[in-house]
Amino acid sequence: MYETKAYSAASATSPLASTRIPRRDLTEHDVQIEILFCGICHTDLHVARNEWGNATYPVVPGHEIVGRVAKVGSAVTRYKPGDLAAIGCLVDSDRTCPSCQEGLEQFCPNQTIVFNSPDKHLGGVTYGGYSDSIVIDERYALRVPANLDPAAAAPLLCAGITMYSPLRHWGITQGKKVGVVGLGGLGHMGVKFARAFGAHVVVFTTSPGKTEDALRLGAHEVVVSRNADEMRKHAGSFDYIIDTVSADHDVNAFLNLLRHDGNMTLVGAPAKPLAVAAFGLILGRRSLSGSNIGGIAETQEMLDFCGKNEITADVEVIPIQKVNEAYERLLKSDVKYRFSIDMASLRSG
Ligand code: NAP
Ligand code: ZN
């Protein structure tokens, strides 16, 4: 075991603060990664503040990690010291269940998430990427294409895969009309991927000030979702809508925009259950679905796709000392469009 610097929340109401946490010594399949950048996902905030009721303190958030391999265990074959490597949400799974066998580790009932998950090695819970260094089985580490800026690639590990996976699964290709609800970290990646897959992309936002950015990011049209007239113009026209909203909101307004047999996927995870009007689904044989990140192989596929197509997140790089301020801005939908923490600030701070 060794100690490393980190930022943690001590309770649901405490700001994140500097601390030291233990990391396991390398087993033969492990790599030790010095963290360069870690994105800030809204999930970090939901958990740090116990909004989903599942937090175990101290919480060290962070699941969009890009770093440099510092050491490798004796049986590691895919990484060597100095390599760029990435870690997303998944750091382990049982490897034997039907989901794991299909490469869908995101549905494994015995998965280990990078933070706030029972830690098989050290006891307690796992600690995430708001830290100096981390140890992971090489099987769950990912390769980052060398042409991508590491600060802007970090958010691909959650925001990126969480949008890429459902857009692929529901067959979004040329000619489909796709809506992206909420232009935050996930939403802006959804726009980039849906556009890259050839869809006609419409952004639904509550922030009229984001209109120009949405168009620059690749949207063909932007709808201010609080404007009922603008919404009505799109009634019954969408093949697919993906909803990234982190707070309570009316999903029925969006279900009514689907054509018959259209599908809307929730990836945003508000703490409170959402009300769904049965007729919004019944009348158009529409469906409402959900999606959880993506498996390891698909995450690598997404990173490789981003390398080929030069896709990364639009990031605001911040020092870790600004993390509490960043959380407050996240709550005000004031992020353009992902915070990426420069972890050098933790080492020098
Ligand atoms: P984010 O950057 O804060 O973006 C959320 C966006 O939702 C905001 O920018 C805002 O967009 C919109 N929004 C916020 N409050 C709203 C409200 N009251 N009514 C309507 N729209 C509102 O968050 P994120 O990091 O993208 O995460 C979004 C959600 O996805 C979170 O709940 C997170 O936990 C969840 N998540 C799920 C998965 C998964 O695997 N399913 C993975 C990662 C994250 P506008 O300003 O454009 O309206
Ligand atoms: Zn996330």
Side-chain angles (χ1 to χ4, degrees), residues 42-43 46 183 185-186 205-207 210 244 267 269 291 293 338:
H42 209 114
T43 296
H46 286 308
L183 195 66
L186 266 58
T205 182
T206 59
S207 309
K210 292 181 182 173
T244 75
V267 288
S291 189
I293 48 171
R338 197 58 143 186

Side-chain angles (χ1 to χ4, degrees), residues 288-300:
L288 180 61
S289 56
S291 189
N292 183 30
I293 48 171
I296 293 299
E298 193 177 38
T299 305
Q300 189 62 63

Side-chain angles (χ1 to χ4, degrees), residues 45-66:
L45 186 155
H46 286 308
V47 177
R49 299 189 177 179
N50 203 19
E51 290 176 357
W52 294 337
N54 65 346
T56 303
Y57 293 96
V59 170
V60 177
H63 55 275
E64 294 184 332
I65 299 166
V66 170

